[in-house]
Amino acid sequence: MRTNTNTPTLWNNNTTTSPLKISNWIDDVFEDALSWPRANTSGFVPELNVYETDKEFEVSAALPGMSKDDIEISFNSGALTISGERKMKQEENGRRYHRIESRFGKFSRSLPLPGDMVDQEKITAKYDNGVLNVTIPKVKEKAAKKIKVL
């Protein structure tokens, strides 16, 4: 029986082994196996929420820890593109990082929208508390029209 191991098992003499530690270890093993090669998984991919009303499209993106100066937004060929870079602020101060689960790096998300319905000149964006909100007004002639049932 092995007694000096960092791998939690039910059979070692490590009295601090618990099912939770074993579960975490198994999660780590699968995460490492499924994220190979690492070069492709290091980027940051923000989460988007997209809504539509009668008058506009609304897009919100979770961009915690970023400055509004690190974000670029464009609308071209019927697609809204949000891009930028989330940078890691590594403060040494005698710290040694053992695990970093936050994602950092460059990102670009494109969202196709019906270009003939979008009023490109009136697109607005606001960044507050780590959330980017983009409002894309519809062209008035193309905005949804309510039809009365007779």
Side-chain angles (χ1 to χ4, degrees):
M1 177 186 319
R2 293 179 5 177
T3 58
N4 294 331
T5 180
N6 289 333
T7 306
T9 68
L10 295 174
W11 304 279
N12 67 15
N13 293 332
N14 184 353
T15 58
T16 60
T17 300
S18 70
L20 181 59
K21 285 185 179 183
I22 294 170
S23 175
N24 289 344
W25 177 76
I26 291 170
D27 289 346
D28 289 344
V29 168
F30 279 104
E31 183 178 321
D32 288 345
L34 295 174
S35 65
W36 186 87
R38 289 211 175 270
N40 292 336
T41 62
S42 62
F44 168 60
V45 181
E47 298 169 349
L48 298 180
N49 294 316
V50 183
Y51 309 93
E52 180 181 3
T53 67
D54 290 343
K55 297 180 181 182
E56 61 195 13
F57 296 99
E58 298 172 23
V59 178
S60 67
L63 301 172
M66 292 186 65
S67 162
K68 67 179 182 177
D69 297 329
D70 295 331
I71 303 166
E72 293 182 22
I73 304 166
S74 64
F75 186 82
N76 191 16
S77 301
L80 176 76
T81 301
I82 301 170
S83 58
E85 183 174 5
R86 184 171 173 197
K87 299 172 186 166
M88 180 177 173
K89 297 174 187 169
Q90 223 173 340
E91 298 175 12
E92 292 299 323
N93 300 338
R95 292 181 185 168
R96 289 180 294 152
Y97 289 92
H98 291 277
R99 185 178 194 115
I100 298 174
E101 294 187 353
S102 299
R103 300 282 186 188
F104 300 92
K106 293 182 179 183
F107 68 89
S108 182
R109 299 285 314 261
S110 291
L111 192 66
L113 294 169
D116 63 331
M117 290 181 67
V118 172
D119 190 347
Q120 297 181 42
E121 302 302 318
K122 294 184 180 175
I123 297 174
T124 60
K126 183 179 178 185
Y127 183 68
D128 186 37
N129 249 2
V131 178
L132 174 69
N133 290 301
V134 182
T135 302
I136 306 113
K138 294 180 181 177
V139 177
K140 289 186 180 184
E141 300 85 46
K142 301 282 183 168
K145 181 168 103 174
K146 301 245 183 207
I147 301 170
K148 186 175 181 180
V149 178
L150 301 175

